Every structure is written in structure tokens, then in C-alpha cells.
Amino acid sequence: MAKEAASAVSARRGVKKAGVLGALFRGLLAAVAVTVLGVVVFALVIKWLSPNDTIISVMNQALKLLAVLAGTRAAVRGGGSGVVLRGAAIGLAYMAVGVIGYAFLSGLTLSPAAYLADLGMGVAAGGLFGMVLPKRA
């Protein structure tokens, strides 16, 4: 009887862990999809309007925040516990993928402080979005 109870608890933990990982993966995919769509739209805007570097930088940060918001929303849509941590994890994962992608694709390297600032912004934004987004039980 004790083995069956331990097995049931272990199985529930496995399902719960798979559910959290699935939510994180779903959130990361949503964030990447928003980024791809945003980059396409932003490229058209740049072509038509020729904005200055400051506006491009602000729009880049806004796109990152929008992507983290979409990813966090997808990851916490079921509510439950740990939504702040899930949001922060989405922000961290999304920014880490972005930092790695930027480094590989552009061949340019930013200062470690700039990379850490991006990662910190992702964690903070994801955690805040996880805290304030409506949750369903």
C-alpha cells in the first residue's frame, strides 16, 4: 500500500513537472513568435520612415517587453502556483536565447554589463507580468 501511494505521488510530480515545462516551452514559443512578427513589421516601418537610432533602440526594447508579456501570458494562462517564477523563467529564457542569437548572428559582442542588463530586464519583466496577469484557477 505504501509503494502504491509513493508511486502515485511520484506520478503526480512527474505530470506536474511536465505541465510546468510544457507551459514554459509554450511561453518561449509565444515570445519567439511575437519577436519574429515584430521584427518583420519593424523592418517595414524602418524602411518607410527611416527613424533615428534612438527610436530604433526604444522600439527594440518595447518589442522585447511585448514578447516577454506574450510569453508570460502563454505560460501562466492556467494560473496556479508559481506564476511569478514562471514569468521570470520565461523572461530569462527569452532574453538568453536573444543574447545567444544576437552574438551568433551578428558576430558582434556587447559588454557583459549590456548582456546582464538584458537578462535582468527579462527576469524582472517576466516576474512582474506573471504577478499582474489575470490568473484562472
Side-chain angles (χ1 to χ4, degrees):
M1 185 94 127
K3 284 185 180 180
E4 291 172 0
S7 176
V9 168
S10 176
R12 277 183 270 161
R13 284 184 185 157
V15 168
K16 190 173 185 179
K17 187 175 185 178
V20 170
L21 291 177
L24 293 176
F25 185 70
R26 182 177 58 240
L28 187 57
L29 283 178
V32 169
V34 166
T35 300
V36 170
L37 181 63
V39 166
V40 169
V41 170
F42 192 43
L44 293 172
V45 169
I46 288 174
K47 183 177 176 158
W48 288 329
L49 300 179
S50 301
N52 64 28
D53 288 344
T54 303
I55 292 174
I56 291 173
S57 179
V58 168
M59 293 303 295
N60 181 35
Q61 295 302 322
L63 179 58
K64 289 178 191 178
L65 288 174
L66 184 63
V68 171
L69 173 64
T72 301
R73 184 175 172 95
V76 303
R77 73 177 180 204
S81 63
V83 292
V84 173
L85 289 176
R86 276 189 267 163
I90 289 297
L92 178 65
Y94 170 76
M95 290 299 193
V97 168
V99 163
I100 291 167
Y102 178 79
F104 281 132
L105 293 176
S106 71
L108 300 174
T109 56
L110 297 175
S111 70
Y115 287 135
L116 287 175
D118 263 2
L119 293 173
M121 182 182 84
V123 169
L128 287 171
F129 291 146
M131 197 181 310
V132 299
L133 285 173
K135 299 163 208 64
R136 288 176 257 149

